[in-house]
Amino acid sequence: KLYPGIRVKYVSSEEFVSDFIASVADGHMDSFKDRYRKVDILLLDDVQFLGGKEQTLEEFFHTFNALYMEDKQIVLTSDQPPHELKGFEERLISRFVVGLPTDVQPPDLETRIAILQKKALFREYEMPDEVIHFLAQHIPSNIRELEGALNRVIACAELSGEAITIEKTSVWLKDILRMDLKGPVTIESIQAIVAETF
C-alpha cells in the first residue's frame, strides 16, 4: 500500500542457480540480469548453498554490486553467519557484513502459542487451548514444523471425525513428537513427560 510500484524478487539459492545455468545455456544472460538487477528488493534464501559454485558466485557478486550501487535493498538468509560460509570469496563475505547480520532464534513459548492461535483462526478452526499449548511446548524448533503439526492435527480430526484432545494429538503426531526426545528413554524421562502432561 505504501509503495505500490515497488519491484520485489524473492528466490531460493537453488532457483537462482538453476535460472543462471539455464540463462547461460540459452544465451539469455541479458534477461537474467534484468530479472535480478532491475528490482528494488532482492530476497535470496539459503545463500549458503551458493558456496563453491564459482560461476554462479561471480554473477551473484556482480548482481549484488549492481543493486548495492543503486542503493537497493538486498536481504539474504543463511543457516550460518557470514564469516562461517564455506566456498565464498572474501570479497563477497566483506559485502555481506556491511549490512546488518541478524541471528534469528526460534520463537519463545508465548510466541509459538500466538502463532498457533493465529494459524488456527486463519483456518477458521476451533482449536482447544490445551492442545495449542501442548503443540507449542513439544515442537519448539521451527515455525514450519509447528504449522505442519497444526495442519496434520486438523486433517486427522476432520478425517477421523474425532474431537481434538491432547491424547489424540499425541497419537496423530507420534513420529514428530519422538524427534524432540533428547537422549535415551528412561523411567525418569517417562515420569517427567507424564507429569508435564497431567
Side-chain angles (χ1 to χ4, degrees):
K1 288 180 180 179
L2 294 176
Y3 306 99
I6 201 163
R7 297 161 300 173
V8 179
K9 175 81 173 170
Y10 164 78
V11 67
S12 70
S13 60
E14 184 179 312
E15 291 171 298
F16 184 85
V17 171
S18 295
D19 196 5
F20 173 70
I21 291 169
S23 297
V24 169
D26 296 342
H28 294 116
M29 280 307 293
D30 288 338
S31 63
F32 175 87
K33 291 175 183 177
D34 286 347
R35 281 193 298 280
Y36 292 94
R37 296 183 189 183
K38 292 187 176 178
V39 297
D40 299 304
I41 302 173
L42 174 62
L43 307 168
L44 182 63
D45 200 10
D46 289 326
V47 74
Q48 73 273 7
F49 293 126
L50 296 181
K53 296 173 175 62
E54 291 180 26
Q55 289 181 309
T56 305
L57 280 173
E58 184 68 25
E59 182 56 38
F60 180 66
F61 173 79
H62 294 297
T63 298
F64 189 101
N65 278 346
L67 292 170
Y68 184 78
M69 298 307 280
E70 291 287 322
D71 204 25
K72 303 300 182 183
Q73 187 73 46
I74 306 162
V75 180
L76 309 173
T77 68
S78 175
D79 63 0
Q80 47 202 230
H83 290 297
E84 292 179 18
L85 290 170
K86 305 276 188 284
F88 286 78
E89 292 181 19
E90 186 55 39
R91 64 184 183 159
L92 258 176
I93 300 295
S94 67
R95 280 159 176 77
F96 294 169
V97 296
V98 164
L100 178 64
T102 306
D103 184 19
V104 179
Q105 294 297 320
D108 61 18
L109 179 63
E110 291 78 21
T111 305
R112 292 193 306 271
I113 290 169
I115 289 167
L116 285 169
Q117 289 170 333
K118 190 161 189 111
K119 295 288 183 185
L121 185 66
F122 180 75
R123 298 249 345 237
E124 297 178 356
Y125 204 88
E126 190 71 32
M127 181 69 64
D129 284 341
E130 62 270 10
V131 173
I132 285 181
H133 284 81
F134 177 81
L135 290 172
Q137 286 175 327
H138 289 87
I139 305 177
S141 55
N142 75 51
I143 300 304
R144 289 185 187 118
E145 202 174 315
L146 196 61
E147 186 175 0
L150 176 72
N151 291 337
R152 188 166 166 186
V153 168
I154 291 171
C156 288
E158 288 176 345
L159 291 171
S160 68
E162 297 179 288
I164 296 176
T165 64
I166 290 177
E167 292 75 22
K168 287 293 178 190
T169 299
S170 297
V171 171
W172 294 330
L173 300 178
K174 64 182 177 219
D175 56 327
I176 295 173
L177 297 176
R178 272 196 196 127
M179 293 186 328
D180 290 329
L181 292 174
K182 311 253 187 310
V185 177
T186 63
I187 296 296
E188 292 79 18
S189 66
I190 294 170
Q191 288 172 335
I193 290 170
V194 171
E196 182 182 324
T197 302
F198 296 101

